[in-house]
Amino acid sequence: MTLHRRSSRPAAVVALATGLCLVAGCGTAAKKTDSAASGGTQTTTAATGTSSAPAAAPAGQKVKLSVVSLLPGSTKEAFKAFNDQVAIFEQAHPDIDVQPHEYEWKGTTFAAQLAGGTLPTVFEVPFTDARTLIGNKQVADLTAQVRQLPYAGTFNPSVLAQGQDSKGDIYALPKGAYGVGLQYNRALFTKAGLDPDKPPTTWDEVRADARAIASKTHQAGFALMGKSNTGGWNLAMLTYALGGRLETVDSSGKATVTLANPGTKAALQWLKQLRWSDNAMGSNFLLDWGSMNQAFAAGKVGMYLSGSDVYTNLVQANHVKPETYGLTVLPMSDSPDAGLLGGGTEVVVKASATDAEKAAAVKWMDFYYLSKLTDQQAAVRDAKTLVASKQPVGTPQLPLFDKATLDTYMSWISSYVDVPLGQMKGFTDNIFNQKLQPEPPVSTQALYGVLDTVVQKVLTDKGTNIDQLLAKTTPIAQQAVDKAS
């Protein structure tokens, strides 16, 4: 996967661990996509359409701007909410023709889409891929445009750093940030005789609850993603929570893969017991992010690991019943290095975009993703639009701006919040007590791809020797990381 390049800013990545804090943010339309743009110097508020920079195109010319919309299979109500927002934007900007494209980021297909030029002009990527694309100069420099946004100085610096290069130039803007949480099905908890208002707080309790769910409901008590780099992603979550790390990075930015750490060994041993001793993980070990969400919403999974913001997608694309949803924090081991893996999504513009397309793209990014967090009219308009189409408002996320900005934003939308926050208290009440840590900083997706095979091996081969497996896989992972960096 030649897509991935070593980050030249390990310090900026580490800053994510200390700079993020949690608030309940407004849910947005899509999950896991990519792009970046540079060019014109304009900014627009979503509610008024006023601009503080040059127009996206000369008078009389209309810019066609392709953008990602929602995941394939999202509900008609979700698409209506998105299309309503497009109409509002185009009314404020008659010189821009927004052309939406359904899209889901997948590690196994993204490189080919990027190389083949099939991505829209504005697309979304995980934090980990944004660093790679920036290093490879595969997305456009947005510095001039972003600096003119009225809220440019209030970004959470640790979040903004994920879209900057070593010189501090801005190539990507954050769509959202998350901390990992334990998603659980309250209905399956009840059927298994468990109290859905008392989710597990230790990994032993997770295992016991998974056994109860599997035994009494015949569904997977706990399920793990296993392909398209998501198996490695989930294994990283468990590793971090148990005090391990998958890479060390020296002062030059060189990464050394450290798979045989106690945290990863403990994570795999826990999974092996849950799978083979408890028979509590079901039979499908090739789920990815989309298919896991689908299985969970269908009542086939009791618990799984994912970002704290996944509820939005569960509603938009998977028709989850709100009353069945629960969210709590991941248990942490007693290790002083135990930490919560965090991440997020960046919005970028393809490097080949024209100046007019780049200017239009920044207007769209301001309108659709960011101004609703900084402008009262835009915040209320966005919340009303989402509520009218029965879309989530209030899904827990990490802040993109400073605390004062976010507190003000929450006061604007408080009357429109429609997510079951009472069923997420295990997460929102306890997340401040957890130490947030960034994902492995070098060639992250390449590393996750190799770890998919480790997860699959443990869950499909009862006789797997974990020590031998990690010893065998480490040089393979190191080669993949070196090649991609």
Side-chain angles (χ1 to χ4, degrees):
M1 296 174 65
T2 56
L3 174 65
H4 306 283
R5 168 173 286 182
R6 178 186 300 119
S7 169
S8 59
R9 295 184 300 101
V13 178
V14 171
L16 179 64
T18 56
L20 297 180
C21 58
L22 180 84
V23 295
C26 179
T28 53
K31 171 78 175 176
K32 287 193 175 182
T33 41
D34 278 272
S35 182
S38 72
T41 54
Q42 63 83 45
T43 177
T44 303
T45 64
T48 65
T50 58
S51 176
S52 62
Q61 295 185 21
K62 202 162 193 174
V63 176
K64 293 182 179 180
L65 183 69
S66 58
V67 305
V68 294
S69 60
L70 307 182
L71 291 173
S74 293
T75 65
K76 62 181 182 180
E77 292 83 6
F79 279 113
K80 180 182 184 304
F82 182 87
N83 291 333
D84 286 347
Q85 292 180 357
V86 169
I88 293 170
F89 176 80
E90 291 182 334
Q91 184 177 13
H93 302 282
D95 58 336
I96 302 174
D97 177 14
V98 175
Q99 301 177 336
H101 294 263
E102 297 176 31
Y103 178 71
E104 179 180 2
W105 182 93
K106 290 188 177 183
T108 52
T109 58
F110 175 73
Q113 291 173 311
L114 182 68
T118 60
L119 293 171
T121 301
V122 180
F123 58 104
E124 305 166 9
V125 288
F127 280 179
T128 53
D129 257 18
R131 296 194 295 268
T132 297
L133 296 172
I134 292 167
N136 289 345
K137 304 297 183 184
Q138 292 172 297
V139 292
D141 185 345
L142 300 174
T143 306
Q145 294 74 35
V146 174
R147 296 300 185 201
Q148 293 200 24
L149 293 172
Y151 46 79
T154 63
F155 277 106
N156 181 333
S158 298
V159 174
L160 184 63
Q162 307 309 304
Q164 293 176 289
D165 66 7
S166 59
K167 297 184 296 183
D169 290 336
I170 301 168
Y171 287 76
L173 287 177
K175 167 192 172 182
Y178 64 83
V180 172
L182 181 67
Q183 323 288 326
Y184 67 97
N185 187 303
R186 293 172 60 88
L188 290 181
F189 264 61
T190 299
K191 289 180 182 179
L194 304 170
D195 186 345
D197 292 325
K198 296 180 179 178
T201 59
T202 69
W203 289 110
D204 285 343
E205 290 178 0
V206 172
R207 185 179 170 190
D209 289 355
R211 284 198 302 266
I213 292 169
S215 173
K216 297 180 181 180
T217 73
H218 306 292
Q219 303 295 345
F222 179 92
L224 203 76
M225 300 178 200
K227 69 175 185 178
S228 300
N229 300 5
T230 60
W233 181 49
N234 273 191
L235 182 57
M237 298 175 191
L238 289 169
T239 293
Y240 278 38
L242 296 173
R245 297 293 184 272
L246 298 170
E247 289 180 348
T248 60
V249 183
D250 64 21
S251 58
S252 70
K254 168 68 176 178
T256 300
V257 173
T258 56
L259 301 190
N261 67 82
T264 300
K265 289 183 179 181
L268 291 172
Q269 184 61 36
W270 183 83
L271 290 170
K272 185 176 182 180
Q273 292 172 334
L274 194 62
R275 163 69 174 98
W276 297 106
S277 299
D278 303 340
N279 193 27
M281 295 187 70
S283 58
N284 188 349
F285 308 112
L286 291 176
L287 295 168
D288 60 11
W289 187 81
S291 54
M292 176 67 83
N293 293 343
Q294 185 177 23
F296 176 80
K300 298 179 180 180
V301 171
M303 293 175 281
Y304 76 109
L305 310 178
S306 195
S308 58
D309 58 347
V310 75
Y311 180 77
T312 296
N313 176 263
L314 290 170
V315 170
Q316 290 181 335
N318 304 112
H319 311 278
V320 73
K321 296 178 180 178
E323 64 271 18
T324 69
Y325 180 79
L327 173 67
T328 191
V329 290
L330 262 60
M332 293 289 128
S333 74
D334 294 332
S335 168
D337 294 323
L340 183 72
L341 184 142
T345 302
E346 298 276 13
V347 187
V348 293
V349 175
K350 64 183 181 181
S352 61
T354 66
D355 287 345
E357 288 173 331
K358 294 171 188 177
V362 174
K363 286 185 178 181
W364 172 252
M365 292 157 73
D366 171 42
F367 169 88
Y368 184 65
Y369 296 101
L370 296 171
S371 67
K372 63 189 174 187
L373 302 176
T374 60
D375 178 89
Q376 184 172 5
Q377 285 182 293
V380 172
R381 174 200 57 77
D382 182 72
K384 284 183 175 180
T385 301
L386 292 172
V387 168
S389 299
K390 299 181 180 180
Q391 300 306 297
V393 176
T395 301
Q397 296 187 39
L398 301 177
L400 304 186
F401 298 96
D402 58 27
K403 187 177 186 302
T405 301
L406 289 165
D407 287 347
T408 300
Y409 163 73
M410 287 306 300
S411 71
W412 293 336
I413 68 159
S414 59
S415 63
Y416 300 98
V417 172
D418 58 2
V419 304
L421 289 178
Q423 296 161 207
M424 304 174 182
K425 288 177 64 64
F427 185 86
T428 56
D429 287 355
N430 297 295
I431 187 63
F432 292 106
N433 299 323
Q434 297 197 327
K435 183 170 59 177
L436 196 69
Q437 298 288 342
E439 296 179 75
V442 179
S443 304
T444 315
Q445 296 297 335
L447 177 62
Y448 286 170
V450 174
L451 291 177
D452 278 357
T453 63
V454 172
V455 169
Q456 293 167 14
K457 179 71 173 176
V458 170
L459 298 183
T460 59
D461 184 349
K462 185 176 182 179
T464 299
N465 182 300
I466 291 173
D467 287 341
Q468 291 178 3
L469 175 62
L470 292 176
K472 179 180 179 181
T473 306
T474 295
I476 299 172
Q478 186 69 59
Q479 183 179 24
V481 167
D482 290 343
K483 182 179 179 181
S485 63

